[in-house]
Amino acid sequence: MTQEELRSKYLPIGGYLFFIAFGLVVFFIAAFLVVFVRTKSSTLVVMPDVVGKSYNEVHNELSRLQLKIRLESKRYPDKTDGIIIYQSIRPGREIEAGSKVSLTVNIGLDRLIMPELKGQTLASAKNALEKVLSGETYVSLQLGGVTYVEPKEGELPDTVVDQIPEAGKNTTAREKVFLLVTKAPAKKKEGESQTLDFKPGDSFVFAQRTLAQAGIPSKADIVETKFRPESGKIESAQKIGSEYRFKVFYFEPEDRVESGYESFEYKIRDSGNYKLILKDQKDESKQVELSAATPYQEGEKIQTVFYRAGDVTLVLLDQSGSKVKSKDYENEF
């Protein structure tokens, strides 16, 4: 077969193959571009308007948009503490998910690290609260209340054994401090029962702890509040027979940070005596008895408010010491 015949026979076939190959290349390029454009457009998000809002309020929304936040702070005492006063990307602008956004948050209050007061006498603790370092200046912290408890073996009277907020917490000069202080053992007449005085505004957490240590039963009804500083405080207290009954304010937090007030509620299935204990998740040997054994009827609700520092587990025990219910409370950040 001559060269001319070979060319005339196979050239059309080669042309067809080239055409098919070229078509496939064009098809895959077009498909890639379509996928690329769609993928790129699907990652576009609209920057929300966050100026004037609390950072805690918009944190979850910004996380959902996958934005990388860079926080800066400025202090304007005449503006609300914690609100956003500037955003680097204007509201309504389309940006890619993962974009970096700078936010400036106002620090309207003096921020400070809560000092360690445990182990000090009440007088020394009060003096320490009068002069707390905030940046380069000193500010004073207001004492919210003192709850007295009988000293355990080895504890000295008139000594701080616990505090709210806990030492080391980053807080503001506006936050009130509550102290649990040992008292001198009182001489009681024979047959006289121990009486304790609690008033509105006192720390319910320490009131219940004091009663638990004394073996005195107590019950609480939670009263929801929209005013955060009221959380954990007693609204009312009364003694009925040998039992103390409280109404306690509770503010439901938007986010659970390293420490703060928490609530617990459980409907009793069987009548009997029940008590609450709080365990440290990192060291279960560290536990606090929140309430003494208290009688409840079937269908009655156990309610309480407590202060959490770190990750803890609340455990409800029956009269035999068996676990009825447990619940973990952990830092969300």
Side-chain angles (χ1 to χ4, degrees):
M1 185 177 290
T2 65
Q3 188 174 2
E4 187 66 25
E5 288 175 333
L6 289 172
R7 186 181 297 112
S8 62
K9 182 177 181 179
Y10 292 107
L11 186 59
I13 297 175
Y16 292 140
L17 292 175
F18 175 80
F19 179 80
I20 293 172
F22 180 79
L24 289 173
V25 170
V26 171
F27 172 80
F28 283 116
I29 291 175
F32 173 79
L33 290 174
V34 169
V35 172
F36 177 79
V37 170
R38 287 185 177 178
T39 303
K40 187 174 180 65
S41 63
S42 67
T43 60
L44 291 178
V45 297
V46 178
M47 181 66 200
D49 186 0
V50 296
V51 172
K53 298 179 180 179
S54 166
Y55 177 69
N56 289 335
E57 179 184 344
V58 301
H59 171 79
N60 290 339
E61 181 183 3
L62 297 177
S63 297
R64 181 179 58 80
L65 297 176
Q66 302 176 29
L67 298 178
K68 297 178 181 178
I69 306 301
R70 180 174 179 269
L71 287 178
E72 299 176 349
S73 61
K74 287 190 177 181
R75 187 170 187 270
Y76 295 95
D78 58 328
K79 295 183 181 293
T80 304
D81 181 63
I83 66 165
I84 298 168
I85 54 179
Y86 170 77
Q87 61 185 79
S88 61
I89 299 177
R90 62 176 174 79
R93 178 182 170 185
E94 284 193 343
I95 55 176
E96 291 185 25
S99 297
K100 295 181 180 179
V101 182
S102 295
L103 301 178
T104 303
V105 179
N106 182 47
I107 301 178
L109 300 172
D110 295 307
R111 302 203 70 86
L112 51 88
I113 301 299
M114 183 61 59
E116 175 69 81
L117 302 174
K118 288 191 288 186
Q120 299 186 35
T121 64
L122 179 57
S124 296
K126 287 181 176 179
N127 288 335
L129 293 177
E130 288 295 322
K131 194 175 182 180
V132 181
L133 187 63
S134 173
E136 298 179 353
T137 61
Y138 286 94
V139 297
S140 61
L141 284 170
Q142 185 177 351
L143 183 62
V146 177
T147 303
Y148 289 94
V149 62
E150 295 290 344
K152 296 179 181 178
E153 185 177 352
E155 291 180 341
L156 298 174
D158 196 40
T159 301
V160 178
V161 291
D162 206 351
Q163 65 183 83
I164 297 176
E166 74 280 11
K169 180 179 180 180
N170 190 324
T171 185
T172 70
R174 181 184 293 176
E175 187 157 10
K176 293 183 179 181
V177 181
F178 293 87
L179 301 177
L180 185 63
V181 178
T182 55
K183 62 179 181 180
K187 293 183 179 180
K188 295 187 297 182
K189 296 180 181 179
E190 188 175 348
E192 182 183 12
S193 60
Q194 182 178 359
T195 58
L196 298 166
D197 182 30
F198 304 111
K199 60 184 183 299
D202 284 350
S203 168
F204 168 73
V205 175
F206 287 157
Q208 193 177 42
R209 284 261 304 276
T210 300
L211 293 171
Q213 185 170 318
I216 300 174
S218 63
K219 293 181 180 179
D221 290 322
I222 294 175
V223 179
E224 292 186 0
T225 178
K226 294 183 179 179
F227 185 49
R228 185 188 295 272
E230 284 185 331
S231 197
K233 294 181 181 178
I234 297 172
E235 184 202 51
S236 65
Q238 60 177 326
K239 187 179 181 184
I240 301 176
S242 61
E243 183 179 281
Y244 281 81
R245 296 190 180 180
F246 299 91
K247 288 187 177 180
V248 188
F249 289 117
Y250 178 65
F251 178 89
E252 181 70 33
E254 296 173 355
D255 300 303
R256 282 173 167 77
V257 291
E258 189 174 355
S259 62
Y261 289 100
E262 302 281 3
S263 67
F264 174 79
E265 182 177 303
Y266 180 78
K267 188 175 182 179
I268 294 298
R269 297 177 181 176
D270 300 302
S271 299
N273 292 331
Y274 296 85
K275 69 177 182 179
L276 295 164
I277 62 172
L278 195 66
K279 294 183 177 181
D280 188 317
Q281 289 186 12
K282 294 181 179 179
D283 184 359
E284 289 197 359
S285 65
K286 294 180 180 179
Q287 64 179 45
V288 176
E289 189 172 333
L290 296 184
S291 65
T294 302
Y296 286 89
Q297 299 300 315
E298 179 183 350
E300 193 175 358
K301 287 184 179 179
I302 292 180
Q303 294 183 319
T304 194
V305 174
F306 63 95
Y307 188 83
R308 174 182 62 82
D311 297 338
V312 298
T313 300
L314 185 144
V315 183
L316 174 65
L317 303 175
D318 63 16
Q319 53 197 11
S320 68
S322 299
K323 182 175 72 174
V324 177
K325 174 74 175 177
S326 67
K327 184 177 179 180
D328 293 334
Y329 296 82
E330 299 173 345
N331 179 15
E332 294 178 345
F333 297 97

